[in-house]
Amino acid sequence: MTTDIDTASAPAPGTARPGGGVALRRYLTALRTPRGAIGAGLLGLLALLSVLAPVLFPGGYDAQSGNALAGASGSHWMGTDELGRDVLVRTVYGLRTDLSLLLTAVPASAVIGTLMGLAGVISRWLGSGVQRLLDVILGFPGMVLGMCVVLVIGTGWQALFTAILIIGLPLFGRQARAGLQVEQEREYVLAAQVLGVKRRTVLIRHVLPNIVDPVLVNAAVYMVVAIFIEAGLSIVGLGIQPPIPSLGAMLNTGARYIEVHPAYVMGPGLVLLLLTLSFTLLSNALNKAVLHR
C-alpha cells in the first residue's frame, strides 16, 4: 500500500529541534489554520456524537420496531433497516465503533512501528532483520494483507484492530529508521558516541525529538487509510459482524436495499465521508505547519 505517509521526512541535517513549548505552539498554529480548524471542529463534533450515543439513544442500537425499511419520518429521521432498527441510531453507534478502532489501532501501530524502526540502536543486525520483516509486510497490498489477517484471526473488532496495526507498521518503521540514520551521521551524535554516551541517551536526546513530528503527521494520514481498511473489509463481510454496527458493515447491508431505501446507505456513507474529510484536513494542516514551515 502506497500513501502520502512515505513522503514525510525527518529534518535536514544540522537542523535543531526547538523545545517542547515551541513544538506545542506549532501544533496549535496548525489547528488555527482554516484546514486545521475545520478538521478539528468536524472531528470533535463526530467524536462528541459518538461518546454521547448511549445518552442520546438509551434504547441502544439493536432496538427493533414492527416497521421494516420505512422511510424518513419524525420518529426515524433516516428510516429503519430490514429489521426495523433506526438507521440514524445505528449510524451513530457505527461511528462509535469506527472511532474506537482508529483511536486505538493507529496509535498502537505508530508506537510499535517506531520502536521497530529504532531497533538499529540496539544492533545493526537486529535493525536490518526488522527492516526485512517490514519489507515483507509492505510487499502485500493493504487490503489483501488485511483479508489474510482476518481470515486467520476471525472476523470482528479484534481482527480489524490487528489488521490496521500490522498494515501500518512499515509506514512508521521506515520513517523511524530514516530519522535514525540521519541522526547517526550528525557530528554531535558522533562526538557523543566517542565520549562514551550511552546509546539510550543518544536515542532519547537526539533521535526521538527529531522523528516525533513526522510520526504524528503520518499517524493523522494513516487514520484515513485505516478508515478505508475498516470500510473495505466490512463491505466484503470480513469486518464487524451483526448485530454490532460499523459504518462499513452498514454500507455492506444497505447496498442490498439501495433502490427501495437510499437513506440506508446515504447516512453511513455521509458520516464516513465526513470522518475521512476531518482527518485529511488535519493531516494537511499538520504537514504544512510542522514539516514544511
Side-chain angles (χ1 to χ4, degrees), residues 69-249:
L69 296 177
S73 65
S75 56
H76 303 289
W77 290 3
M78 289 185 182
T80 60
D81 66 4
E82 71 279 8
L83 297 178
R85 299 172 297 190
D86 192 292
V87 173
L88 174 61
V89 174
R90 290 185 61 80
T91 298
V92 173
Y93 274 94
L95 171 64
R96 183 184 177 93
T97 301
D98 280 39
L99 282 176
S100 70
L101 270 172
L102 298 176
L103 298 180
T104 53
V106 173
S109 182
V111 172
I112 296 174
T114 299
L115 293 177
M116 293 177 70
L118 297 176
V121 173
I122 300 176
S123 72
R124 292 184 180 274
W125 179 86
L126 178 61
S128 298
V130 169
Q131 288 304 308
R132 299 294 77 75
L133 173 61
L134 295 179
D135 289 342
V136 171
I137 297 175
L138 191 63
F140 287 88
M143 289 303 299
V144 173
L145 180 57
M147 290 180 182
C148 293
V149 171
V150 172
L151 290 175
V152 171
I153 298 178
T155 57
W157 192 95
Q158 293 82 359
L160 287 176
F161 174 91
T162 305
I164 292 172
L165 188 153
I166 293 177
I167 293 172
L169 291 179
L171 307 176
F172 297 104
R174 295 174 71 189
Q175 178 63 59
R177 181 173 175 83
L180 175 63
Q181 291 176 335
V182 169
E183 288 299 308
Q184 286 180 331
E185 300 300 324
R186 294 186 177 179
E187 294 182 357
Y188 55 84
V189 173
L190 296 175
Q193 293 174 345
V194 171
L195 293 175
V197 178
K198 295 181 179 180
R199 290 182 176 180
R200 181 178 61 182
T201 302
V202 173
L203 175 66
I204 295 175
R205 290 186 178 180
H206 302 299
V207 177
L208 287 179
N210 283 278
I211 66 174
V212 167
D213 287 349
V215 167
L216 290 177
V217 174
N218 289 349
V221 177
Y222 188 54
M223 288 284 185
V224 179
V225 179
I227 291 172
F228 288 106
I229 293 174
E230 186 282 323
L233 292 176
S234 294
I235 286 175
V236 297
L238 296 178
I240 303 296
Q241 297 300 301
I244 302 174
S246 76
L247 298 178

Side-chain angles (χ1 to χ4, degrees), residues 18-32 213 286 290:
V22 176
L24 179 59
R25 286 196 294 272
R26 288 205 311 273
Y27 297 131
L28 293 177
T29 299
L31 296 179
R32 293 191 189 103
D213 287 349
L286 287 173
V290 176

